[in-house]
Structure formats: structure tokens, C-alpha cells
Amino acid sequence: MAIAKLVYASQGGNTEEVAEIVERALEENGLEVEKEEVDDVDIDFFEDGDLFIVATFTYSDGVPDEFEDFFDDLKEQDFSNKIFGVVGSGDTSYDHFGQAIDEFEEVFLEIGGIKGADSVKVELAPEDDDVEALEKFAKEIASKVQ
């Protein structure tokens, strides 16, 4: 069974909910999921696995403090031919809605990763249409490793 590694950071609970929706959907699509909060792991968490997902919120105009070390360490990895995806929550009242999601996607591509599905940005807490988008994301990305 393919293994998905999912690491997340959440400040108000919205991104944790996003991560839980993706986790459930990946499992429904036949993957084993190892989900961890970024404070509990380092970049070695991504050492093995078949699929790698980051769920983040955007702090101010970029990567949140919780993800800073992980983000910097990710830049030093070789993700050639590894499948990744990025999801998260944000607030459109800020100038850079979901900027951290874009920054993670950019780094994954720079280190050779293969985007398994389009990133999903959720406005604050996930609503029905967001759940649908996250489930579609999970189904699409899961199909890349089966």
C-alpha cells in the first residue's frame, strides 16, 4: 500500500481541519497516511513515502513561523520524481491570500518534485465546496501513486 506523508501547521484550527479532510480522502482512495504536525517532525519525516503533502496557513505574507525551519530544510532536498501536493487555509482580507501555499509549491518544483494535483486554498474554515475541492485533490494525487 502506498504511503502518503502529510505535514501541517495550524494556528486557529482551520488548516488542521483541511489536513484531516485530505487525510480521510486519501485513505478512502487506498493510501496509508502518516500525518504529523510540523512542530513534531523535521525534514526527515519526508525521507520515505510515496507522496508528500504540506498543509499550511499563511502568516502575514508568507510561510508561518512553525514551518520556517522545515521550509528552509526542504530547499536542500532532492525531490526528483517525487510527487507532492500543497493545501491550506488563508484569509482574503490579507494582500497575499494563501501565499505560503504558493511558496511551498514553488520550492517543491525547484527541488525536482512533480505536482500531483493543483493546490487548494481554503478561505478560513472549510465549507462544503472546499471539502469537495479537497476530496478531488486527494483523489487526483492518490491516482498518481497507484
Side-chain angles (χ1 to χ4, degrees):
M1 178 180 292
I3 298 173
K5 299 283 193 133
L6 193 161
V7 65
Y8 74 96
S10 188
Q11 190 171 45
N14 294 336
T15 308
E16 183 173 12
E17 189 176 348
V18 165
E20 289 169 354
I21 293 165
V22 171
E23 177 184 28
R24 264 193 316 274
L26 289 169
E27 290 171 345
E28 289 169 4
N29 282 280
L31 296 180
E32 179 182 330
V33 181
E34 294 178 18
K35 177 176 62 92
E36 294 287 343
E37 193 166 2
V38 73
D39 288 338
D40 298 332
V41 296
D42 59 25
I43 198 65
D44 292 344
F45 178 68
F46 274 1
E47 195 168 275
D48 57 349
D50 302 293
L51 171 62
F52 307 90
I53 298 172
V54 167
T56 185
F57 64 96
T58 296
Y59 182 76
S60 183
D61 63 352
V63 174
D65 293 344
E66 294 88 336
F67 256 123
E68 227 169 65
D69 291 340
F70 193 93
F71 183 78
D72 289 341
D73 291 344
L74 184 62
K75 294 175 185 177
E76 306 302 318
Q77 305 302 304
D78 179 3
F79 257 65
S80 298
N81 301 316
K82 293 184 181 183
I83 299 166
F84 76 89
V86 187
V87 296
S89 63
D91 186 340
T92 55
S93 68
Y94 289 93
D95 291 337
H96 304 284
F97 174 64
Q99 180 67 33
I101 296 165
D102 297 337
E103 290 180 23
F104 266 105
E105 184 175 309
E106 187 178 304
V107 167
F108 273 118
L109 290 170
E110 286 173 4
I111 61 173
I114 299 168
K115 185 164 71 167
D118 287 338
S119 297
V120 177
K121 296 179 181 181
V122 174
E123 168 76 10
L124 302 174
E127 296 185 9
D128 290 345
D129 58 334
D130 299 312
V131 172
E132 195 174 297
L134 291 165
E135 289 172 345
K136 180 181 174 195
F137 165 89
K139 183 175 184 176
E140 185 177 342
I141 203 167
S143 72
K144 303 292 195 300
V145 294
Q146 296 174 331

